[in-house]
Amino acid sequence: LPRGRRLDAAALGMAASIGLATLPVARRPRVALFSTGDELVMPGDVPPDQMKPGAIYNSNRFFLRTLLLRLGCEVTDLGVVPDRLEATVDALRGASQGHDLIVTSGGVSVGEEDHVKPAVQALGTLELWQLAIKPGKPFAYGRVGAAHFIGLPGNPVSSFVTFLLLVRPFLLKLQGATQIAMPSIAIRADFTLAKADKRREFLRARRNAQDGLELFANQSSGVLTSVHWADGLIDNPAGSTIAQGDLVRFIPLAELLA
């Protein structure tokens, strides 16, 4: 059993077959999770027909917690923090105690109510802010006390995709894993993408019965349906168009969600 390999059922059985009662393993990462935004409403609290203008249901909280648990983390769900600098500072200060990583959703862009960036800078250091990818530009990394900090975008697709591409390998590395690369395959595009973007794009797509790829019609970062519909991401380089029949780099979601 090589160091850094996740122990699956076969590995545990093999260890037991030679009489090993215990094995040295990495500790589960302790992760604090919270969302920011006065517009967030918990499902079940308000019926859809009674939602105030601008209000949205907090979907990120549910899929982020699920993804963290699937990666073997111990999760402290701190709920939703109001759009106030003082409240954000207090939440980060408390989350930095007893956790290896703080993951936030929202509040890392450039709006008047985006307080995560100044709050992190007030308590620690912000080493990375914004990436040239789509979706997921407002992504942040830093430190708050002894804890790592990762700020995810508020838009649900951006949050979901950046978690898989960036938070997942970070947590695997934190647990001592040696296999953290994203597996990808070359597949034929059965669609045309005529307009190139200046950022590296991760397009939601799925395989069809002809062994090609179909593209979800609406690639907006607010449409979580695209992630549910897709079975993978097309990694499209910045400035690149896609013609029907081109081979593209396809990252299966099943590998990232395993």
Side-chain angles (χ1 to χ4, degrees):
L1 297 175
R3 181 188 182 98
R5 181 75 61 85
R6 180 180 285 261
L7 293 173
D8 57 14
L12 291 172
M14 188 170 67
S17 74
I18 58 173
L20 291 177
T22 61
L23 292 169
V25 296
R27 178 176 55 78
R28 292 178 181 270
R30 297 183 293 252
V31 181
L33 171 68
F34 67 84
S35 306
T36 67
D38 293 339
E39 76 279 7
L40 296 177
V41 176
M42 286 297 294
D45 286 356
V46 181
D49 59 354
Q50 297 178 23
M51 289 279 279
K52 296 180 180 179
I56 57 173
Y57 290 117
N58 187 356
S59 58
N60 297 16
R61 181 180 185 179
F62 293 91
F63 68 68
L64 289 175
R65 184 175 183 274
T66 301
L67 291 170
L68 288 167
L69 291 172
R70 184 170 288 189
L71 282 165
C73 300
E74 295 178 359
V75 182
T76 303
D77 187 343
L78 301 176
V80 179
V81 173
D83 277 331
R84 295 191 298 275
L85 179 59
E86 297 80 6
T88 307
V89 169
D90 289 343
L92 286 171
R93 183 184 291 114
S96 68
Q97 306 299 314
H99 293 101
D100 304 300
L101 171 65
I102 305 166
V103 175
T104 65
S105 172
V108 290
S109 191
V110 293
E112 291 183 2
E113 300 301 332
D114 290 323
H115 300 299
V116 172
K117 180 181 179 182
V120 172
Q121 291 173 321
L123 296 172
T125 59
L126 193 64
E127 301 176 23
L128 184 153
W129 184 61
Q130 294 192 342
L131 295 173
I133 63 172
K134 182 180 180 181
K137 179 181 177 181
F139 178 91
Y141 169 79
R143 300 293 290 260
V144 178
H148 297 276
F149 163 78
I150 291 179
L152 299 175
N155 280 330
V157 177
S158 301
S159 188
F160 195 97
V161 170
T162 51
F163 185 98
L164 294 181
L165 298 178
L166 301 167
V167 183
R168 175 185 173 273
F170 180 87
L171 284 168
L172 291 176
K173 191 73 174 178
L174 204 61
Q175 296 180 76
T178 54
Q179 296 180 333
I180 61 174
M182 292 184 298
S184 64
I185 52 179
I187 302 186
R188 184 190 72 249
D190 285 351
F191 62 90
T192 298
L193 185 71
K195 185 178 179 180
D197 198 278
K198 61 182 180 181
R199 288 180 282 166
R200 181 179 178 184
E201 293 183 280
F202 291 91
L203 306 165
R204 278 73 70 204
R206 71 179 179 189
R207 284 171 281 201
N208 57 31
Q210 293 73 44
D211 295 324
L213 290 175
E214 300 174 10
L215 194 66
F216 191 74
N218 189 341
Q219 292 287 316
S220 169
S221 59
V223 182
L224 199 55
T225 313
S226 68
V227 179
H228 174 73
W229 176 90
D231 60 15
L233 304 171
I234 294 173
D235 184 357
N236 192 40
S240 299
T241 59
I242 299 174
Q244 187 165 347
D246 285 350
L247 290 179
V248 296
R249 183 184 181 219
F250 183 70
I251 304 169
L253 284 176
E255 301 289 340
L256 301 182
L257 296 172

